[in-house]
Amino acid sequence: AGQAAVAIQMAERQAELVHREKVLQVLHKIDRSILSAPLETTLDIVLRGSLELIGASFGNLLLIDADDKNQLVIKATTTRDEEMKLKEFQARLLIRSSISGIPIESGEGMIIADVEKHELYVPLLRDGQKPMRSELVVPLKANGEMIGVLNIESPKVGAFSESDMELLVILAGQAAVAIQMAERQAEL
């Protein structure tokens, strides 16, 4: 029994090390994007890296609209259908009346175990896709300024944990700096 316990502990430790390596790889990708990638590429790297770390397949990255600070605009998405993607990029979400806006106002990330039970949920319906049931949203904050949110969703109820949120908060902090740097480079 003692050998089995040691083997289990070693397997758990190995899994933890593999996960940490994955986290470091994603953070390194974002660091590299700070130095060279245009804004659109940086946003996509951040979103895809977030999904990879959390083990989710759908998400989007929304930034506060430069022209109307009361709205969020989707700037990166996992939607593959080009027509639907165009519709998403044209959509605006009012901060005060969407789940994605809550972290902008509170400054804190949040997990919604079942979005169907949340009064502010705004579904984005996609042909042939299961409806989303749970959501994890964290603010993008750089130099004390809210710039947007990172939103991850799943068709499974209760798909996200507190440790998922903690990981996404770390990633979001680094991502916000990368986004600000890419925006500044675009202005030059």
Side-chain angles (χ1 to χ4, degrees):
Q3 287 180 335
V6 169
I8 290 170
Q9 285 178 336
M10 288 181 68
E12 288 172 348
R13 181 71 177 141
Q14 179 66 25
E16 182 182 326
L17 290 173
V18 167
H19 180 70
R20 284 184 184 190
E21 181 179 357
K22 191 177 183 181
V23 169
L24 291 173
Q25 287 172 350
V26 169
L27 293 175
H28 181 67
K29 275 186 204 175
I30 293 171
D31 275 346
R32 284 196 327 250
S33 79
I34 290 173
L35 300 174
S36 61
L39 179 60
E40 186 175 305
T41 303
T42 298
L43 297 173
D44 192 58
I45 289 169
V46 167
L47 179 57
R48 304 253 176 234
S50 301
L51 294 169
E52 183 181 335
L53 288 180
I54 303 301
S57 57
F58 178 76
N60 50 48
L61 192 150
L62 301 94
L63 297 180
I64 295 175
D65 189 341
D67 297 325
D68 183 350
K69 302 291 185 195
N70 296 311
Q71 295 187 50
L72 291 167
V73 182
I74 296 173
K75 293 293 188 175
T77 184
T78 52
T79 299
R80 293 197 175 126
D81 177 86
E82 290 301 319
E83 187 177 323
M84 187 62 186
K85 188 183 281 192
L86 183 60
K87 287 179 184 176
E88 285 185 23
F89 285 156
Q90 292 172 347
R92 302 286 185 267
L93 293 175
L94 285 172
I95 290 173
R96 292 189 185 273
S97 57
S98 68
I99 290 175
S100 295
I102 295 171
I104 295 289
E105 294 186 326
S106 71
E108 302 290 326
M110 63 184 292
I111 297 170
I112 309 288
D114 188 351
V115 294
E116 287 186 1
K117 295 179 180 174
H118 199 286
E119 62 189 16
L120 296 179
Y121 183 62
V122 179
L124 294 174
L125 300 175
R126 293 170 183 81
D127 293 334
Q129 185 180 22
K130 292 180 182 177
M132 295 297 124
R133 294 298 304 272
S134 59
E135 189 167 351
L136 169 56
V137 190
V138 297
L140 294 168
K141 195 177 352 179
N143 302 319
E145 178 187 357
M146 291 292 180
I147 63 169
V149 294
L150 191 50
N151 179 55
I152 308 297
E153 296 184 13
S154 172
K156 180 182 167 193
V157 173
F160 305 112
S161 68
E162 288 294 324
S163 63
D164 290 333
M165 186 165 66
E166 290 170 9
L167 188 56
L168 211 55
V169 165
I170 292 167
L171 180 67
Q174 185 179 14
V177 172
I179 291 165
Q180 279 194 330
M181 294 292 289
E183 286 176 332
R184 288 186 184 132
Q185 286 178 346
E187 291 172 1
L188 297 178

